[in-house]
């Protein structure tokens, strides 16, 4: 069972309004709620300042509900104001004021540390969010996370997080792209580590810098997208290539328009073409697989292709 609490706050009682947080949380809900093939994924609960009163009490109560026993994975997403506070970050709630801005991340982390939910994923799109996970009691940025906890943030602890002109948080806009398949591996799996790699490349050296902290011994799937190569084709790699370093000789009979037709070779060539598109196979001495076949050259597995060949050969696919 997978739960997700998604919070987006644009409107505040005593703090300047934002314009993209509700849009971000709303855009993320269907992406986490369903995999690309339409199957159920996270059971999402959405709290936005457009439809709810997202004050401190409401957020604390929702966090307790999120982290109560019974789920395998709990995901907390927050888009709104963040404030720096002595190696901690405060998630500013709708009723936040100078005396009490909202919920400190260390409070949330204390709940997560004691939660019986095996995996807790936290995603923050707010200013100064990179301080999340630090130990303010020690006055340092040293992070201490229990096993199964990961934290992905929009910026370092000394940076703000930008909004776009079209009413989105820049981090969350890229995050949606990652969930839509931008961060998917060959099998279509989107993991939090894959998302961070995608986000890290999305921002330049002069931009806000996303951070990632984790204590994991496995990567659960955030969302499943369509695989670049069907699983049944990946499982055939050891039958196509007798070893991971085999150079497979090609000839014109592999090309679909060749006469007389060779159905078996055409079927193998179809698999090779899909693997080529996913960067698992490369032609030798030709720029394209078509010319490698027509000119009777060869093809081989790339290093990534060898990885999937080994998985298939070990029956781990």
């Amino acid at each position: 069972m997978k739960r997700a609490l998604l919070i987006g706050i644009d409107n505040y009682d005593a703090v300047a309004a934002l314009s993209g947080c509700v849009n971000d949380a709303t855009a993320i809900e269907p992406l986490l709620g369903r995999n690309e093939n339409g199957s159920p994924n996270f059971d999402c609960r959405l709290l936005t300042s457009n439809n709810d009163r997202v004050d401190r009490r409401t957020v604390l109560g929702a966090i307790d509900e999120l982290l109560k026993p019974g789920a395998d994975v709990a995901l907390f997403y927050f888009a709104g104001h963040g404030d720096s506070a002595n190696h901690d970050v405060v998630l500013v709630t709708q009723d936040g004021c100078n005396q009490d801005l909202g919920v400190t991340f260390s409070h949330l982390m204390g709940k997560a540390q004691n939660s019986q939910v095996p995996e807790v994923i936290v995603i923050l799109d707010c200013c100064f969010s990179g301080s999340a996970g630090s130990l303010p009691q020690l006055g340092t940025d040293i992070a201490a996370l229990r096993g199964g906890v990961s934290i992905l943030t929009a910026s370092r602890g000394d940076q703000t997080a930008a909004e776009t002109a079209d009413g989105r948080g820049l981090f969350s806009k890229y995050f949606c792209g990652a969930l839509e398949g931008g961060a998917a591996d060959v099998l279509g799996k989107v993991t939090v580590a894959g998302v961070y790699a995608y986000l890290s490349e999305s921002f330049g050296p002069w931009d806000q810098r996303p951070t990632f902290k984790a204590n994991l011994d496995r990567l659960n799937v955030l969302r499943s997208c369509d695989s670049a190569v069907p699983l049944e084709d990946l499982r055939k790699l050891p039958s196509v290539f007798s070893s991971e370093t085999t150079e497979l000789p090609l000839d014109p009979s592999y090309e679909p328009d060749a006469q007389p037709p060779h159905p078996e070779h055409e079927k193998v060539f179809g698999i090779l073409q899909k693997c080529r598109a996913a960067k698992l196979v490369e032609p030798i001495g030709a720029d394209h697989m078509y010319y490698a076949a027509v000119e009777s050259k060869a093809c081989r597995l790339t290093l990534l292709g060898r990885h999937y060949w080994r998985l298939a050969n070990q029956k781990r696919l």
Side-chain angles (χ1 to χ4, degrees):
M1 295 180 62
K2 301 162 78 173
R3 300 187 193 119
L5 172 61
L6 313 175
I7 297 175
I9 305 176
D10 281 338
N11 303 311
Y12 288 86
D13 297 343
V15 182
L18 295 168
S19 60
C21 301
V22 171
N23 290 337
D24 290 335
T26 304
I28 288 169
E29 183 190 23
L31 293 174
L32 286 177
R34 295 278 175 181
N35 295 307
E36 188 169 5
N37 65 3
S39 61
N41 190 22
F42 281 89
D43 191 330
C44 297
R45 181 170 295 177
L46 179 65
L47 289 176
T48 69
S49 58
N50 279 16
N51 298 316
D52 308 280
R53 176 66 178 168
V54 194
D55 55 23
R56 185 175 188 275
R57 181 178 179 182
T58 299
V59 171
L60 289 175
I63 290 172
D64 286 340
E65 286 292 303
L66 174 71
L67 297 175
K68 69 182 182 182
D72 301 306
V73 183
L75 185 149
F76 177 84
Y77 169 87
F78 177 87
H81 276 300
D83 192 50
S84 179
N86 187 30
H87 301 283
D88 200 356
V89 58
V90 181
L91 310 181
V92 182
T93 52
Q94 205 168 354
D95 56 340
C97 59
N98 287 335
Q99 293 75 27
D100 187 358
L101 282 172
V103 178
T104 61
F105 190 82
S106 56
H107 180 91
L108 188 157
M109 195 51 23
K111 298 275 187 182
Q113 298 283 79
N114 295 319
S115 171
Q116 295 180 30
V117 178
E119 180 167 353
V120 178
I121 302 166
V122 178
I123 300 170
L124 304 179
D125 188 356
C126 61
C127 298
F128 313 113
S129 49
S131 293
S134 301
L135 293 172
Q137 298 88 343
L138 300 180
T140 74
D141 290 329
I142 296 173
L145 306 177
R146 73 149 167 95
V149 173
S150 55
I151 305 170
L152 186 59
T153 74
S155 65
R156 294 197 315 257
D158 59 349
Q159 289 181 314
T160 57
E163 288 192 318
T164 67
D166 60 348
R168 295 293 306 274
L170 188 57
F171 170 87
S172 291
K173 191 171 184 177
Y174 290 147
F175 178 56
C176 285
L179 292 176
E180 287 170 332
D185 65 10
V186 173
L187 295 172
K189 297 177 181 177
V190 179
T191 65
V192 66
V195 168
Y196 178 68
Y198 177 91
L199 291 170
S200 182
E201 292 179 354
S202 299
F203 290 91
W206 297 86
D207 301 328
Q208 65 192 70
R209 173 54 38 191
T211 74
F212 179 47
K213 300 169 186 172
N215 183 359
L216 303 173
D217 63 4
R218 71 199 68 188
L219 287 171
N220 282 322
V221 178
L222 271 181
R223 186 172 191 252
S224 293
C225 298
D226 294 340
S227 59
V229 181
L231 195 55
E232 59 268 27
D233 287 342
L234 286 173
R235 288 171 177 156
K236 293 174 182 171
L237 285 178
S239 64
V240 176
F241 295 90
S242 57
S243 75
E244 61 183 275
T245 57
T246 293
E247 294 186 359
L248 178 67
L250 300 173
D251 60 55
S253 68
Y254 281 86
E255 207 279 314
D257 296 328
Q259 293 297 330
H262 195 308
E264 185 178 343
H265 279 186
E266 289 179 22
K267 193 173 181 180
V268 170
F269 201 63
I271 296 173
L272 294 174
Q273 291 279 45
K274 283 180 254 183
C275 289
R276 166 66 168 166
K279 300 181 179 178
L280 304 183
V281 168
E282 60 185 1
I284 301 173
D287 291 333
H288 304 284
M289 293 296 293
Y290 170 81
Y291 292 113
V294 170
E295 298 171 8
S296 297
K297 295 187 175 177
C299 66
R300 63 190 169 200
L301 293 165
T302 63
L303 292 176
L304 182 61
R306 294 179 190 183
H307 168 69
Y308 282 96
W309 184 95
R310 289 192 290 271
L311 292 180
N313 195 47
Q314 295 166 6
K315 303 188 186 311
R316 293 168 58 192
L317 291 177

